[in-house]
Amino acid sequence: VSPEANYSDKLNPNNDSDATRAINTSGSNFSANSNSLLQNATDETVAIPRDNSVSELDSHTNNDLHNPEVNNVAIDNSLAKSDSAFDTNNLQKTQAMQWSAANAEDVSYNSQDNPLEEFDDSNMPTIAISSRNFNNNLNAAKPFGISNKAKNLANKPNRSSKKRVFLIVGLSAAGVLTIAAIGGFWYFLGPGSYWTLPKPDDLQCKNYASCKITDVNWQQYEHTLKIAGIPYKVSKDYSDDVPEGKVVSTNPDVVGSHIQKHNNSTLNVVISRGIRKATIPDDITDPKTYNGKNPLKTLRKAGFTNIVHDKSGDTYSIDIPAGSLIDINPKPGTRMNHNEEVSVLLSKGPKPVQMPDIVGKTKSEADSALTDAKLDVKYEEENSDTVAKGKIIRASVEAGSDLHWGDSVKVVVSKGPKTVTLPNVCGKNSDEAKRIIENLGLKVRISAPLGDLMHVVRFQSPGAGSEVPLKDSNGNPSIITLTVI
């Protein structure tokens, strides 16, 4: 080993280990060219005679035995006794020892101490060196007597290098694809694909997950949305709870909700118009109008939502149909908030009653009973041979029948029996007088106490001009008595 040799230069930083090259270690040629050859070689295996003359080299190399990148030196125990050149068959007979770089000042060279000087080139042992980049050093190594097998090894394709290139390219491509996948996920499905609905500054929430956006200042929240870049649409609606100009609701409505960016999604915001107003129609109390026939429906249609109607307080009315208004508060024509109270009193219509029993009673008695039942009575009179004058003969509705206030009833009052005014038949022939009275519907009885000699009526009973009922209480014609002489 030459004194000027620096063993650190013999280390190959690439740690290549897939090729083995054989070089001649003859004399000064090895010393002079060892640096240029070994700079590109790693994992070298050197086959040299195992002799005490290399103890000095061993002492220097042992310092780096535990270095994983240190080259290996193989010493063939049989080469010291053999005259043949080192070949691949001798590789299994070598003993591996570690090769380490040494400082120039620690290495000395004495040709007298080199046992290799005793051998000529043909008997000289060889050093086998593995190097990936050995092809680049073939020309420089020729002076050292490189064997044909080493040259062939240098020409073989560097499979490990290609594998490493493929691995690097594959890992790079995988990295690019991974980054692209992460970016795509972030943009299309992740945080880059949506806006997060921000919390209004004036909204108090304990739990954001269920914090709905309502009753907040719209101008302030609109400014927040513009800063966040969130598109929105605004509509207005009435609200009983949210004052005019504030946010009634949003869709989505919960703080932290996601609004998609890639499907033209927008935030829908409803702004309060305040409480809706409503007006009580003017004609609602007139049962003849459409609004008056169904006042409750009319009030709901007008927008009122707080209508107070106590059915137990409804009353009968002879004039107002059932379901129509008897009273309303506030009065018709009032404009007010739709949720303010509106009290109504409805009619139950005419009260149901039963027809009283008035037949045979006097007209005054019948009139009192029919008035209490609020019936519409019409009286008529007619003669009756059986019912005394002034009493009720009959009515158009039987007693006990179901009626309602205001129903009409016809009542017949007796004028008593039918009567006729008797004509004066005195002085007339009895036969003629009898014919006149019988024509009136009366019955004639002749009385002749002195005998009927002249056949002349002297007296009549009842007398001429009297009102005589045509029939008696039994329904028979009344009898008129004529006295003749």
Side-chain angles (χ1 to χ4, degrees), residues 230-244:
I230 299 176
Y232 58 86
K233 293 181 181 179
V234 177
S235 61
K236 292 186 176 182
D237 197 3
Y238 294 100
S239 174
D240 297 342
D241 304 318
V242 180
E244 184 176 1

Side-chain angles (χ1 to χ4, degrees), residues 147-202:
S147 66
N148 292 331
K149 292 183 178 180
K151 293 180 180 180
N152 293 334
L153 291 173
N155 291 329
K156 290 183 178 180
N158 193 338
R159 296 180 181 178
S160 177
S161 177
K162 291 182 179 180
K163 289 181 179 179
R164 182 174 296 178
V165 172
F166 290 150
L167 179 61
I168 293 173
V169 172
L171 292 176
S172 300
V176 172
L177 292 176
T178 301
I179 293 173
I182 294 174
F185 175 83
W186 184 90
Y187 183 77
F188 290 102
L189 298 176
S193 65
Y194 57 80
W195 293 285
T196 299
L197 190 61
K199 173 183 173 297
D201 295 336
D202 54 343

Side-chain angles (χ1 to χ4, degrees), residues 116-293:
L116 299 179
E117 293 293 338
E118 300 175 0
F119 300 94
D120 58 14
D121 290 345
S122 62
N123 296 326
M124 186 171 181
T126 61
I127 298 175
I129 299 175
S130 171
S131 175
R132 173 177 300 167
N133 299 320
F134 194 81
N135 289 333
N136 296 330
N137 297 286
L138 288 177
N139 293 331
K142 287 180 179 180
F144 293 85
I146 300 177
S147 66
N148 292 331
K149 292 183 178 180
K151 293 180 180 180
N152 293 334
L153 291 173
N155 291 329
K156 290 183 178 180
N158 193 338
R159 296 180 181 178
S160 177
S161 177
K162 291 182 179 180
K163 289 181 179 179
R164 182 174 296 178
V165 172
F166 290 150
L167 179 61
I168 293 173
V169 172
L171 292 176
S172 300
V176 172
L177 292 176
T178 301
I179 293 173
I182 294 174
F185 175 83
W186 184 90
Y187 183 77
F188 290 102
L189 298 176
S193 65
Y194 57 80
W195 293 285
T196 299
L197 190 61
K199 173 183 173 297
D201 295 336
D202 54 343
L203 182 63
Q204 301 298 325
C205 296
K206 294 183 179 180
N207 183 3
Y208 281 13
S210 60
C211 184
K212 292 188 177 182
I213 300 175
T214 185
D215 196 16
V216 297
N217 186 283
W218 166 236
Q219 292 181 348
Q220 295 179 3
Y221 195 49
E222 184 180 25
H223 181 68
T224 302
L225 294 176
K226 288 181 178 179
I227 293 177
I230 299 176
Y232 58 86
K233 293 181 181 179
V234 177
S235 61
K236 292 186 176 182
D237 197 3
Y238 294 100
S239 174
D240 297 342
D241 304 318
V242 180
E244 184 176 1
K246 287 194 171 184
V247 176
V248 177
S249 63
T250 62
N251 184 20
D253 59 349
V254 177
V255 173
S257 298
H258 294 167
I259 303 172
Q260 296 300 320
K261 293 182 178 181
H262 306 308
N263 57 358
N264 297 324
S265 297
T266 58
L267 175 67
N268 295 316
V269 183
V270 180
I271 308 301
S272 174
R273 293 174 180 253
I275 301 176
R276 185 190 299 272
K277 300 291 184 180
T279 302
I280 300 176
D282 292 327
D283 60 347
I284 196 170
T285 57
D286 186 356
K288 296 179 181 180
T289 64
Y290 176 81
N291 290 333
K293 290 179 180 179

Side-chain angles (χ1 to χ4, degrees), residues 1 178 257 385-386 419 422 454 459:
V1 180
T178 301
S257 298
D385 298 329
T386 57
T419 61
L422 289 177
M454 300 179 62
F459 305 101

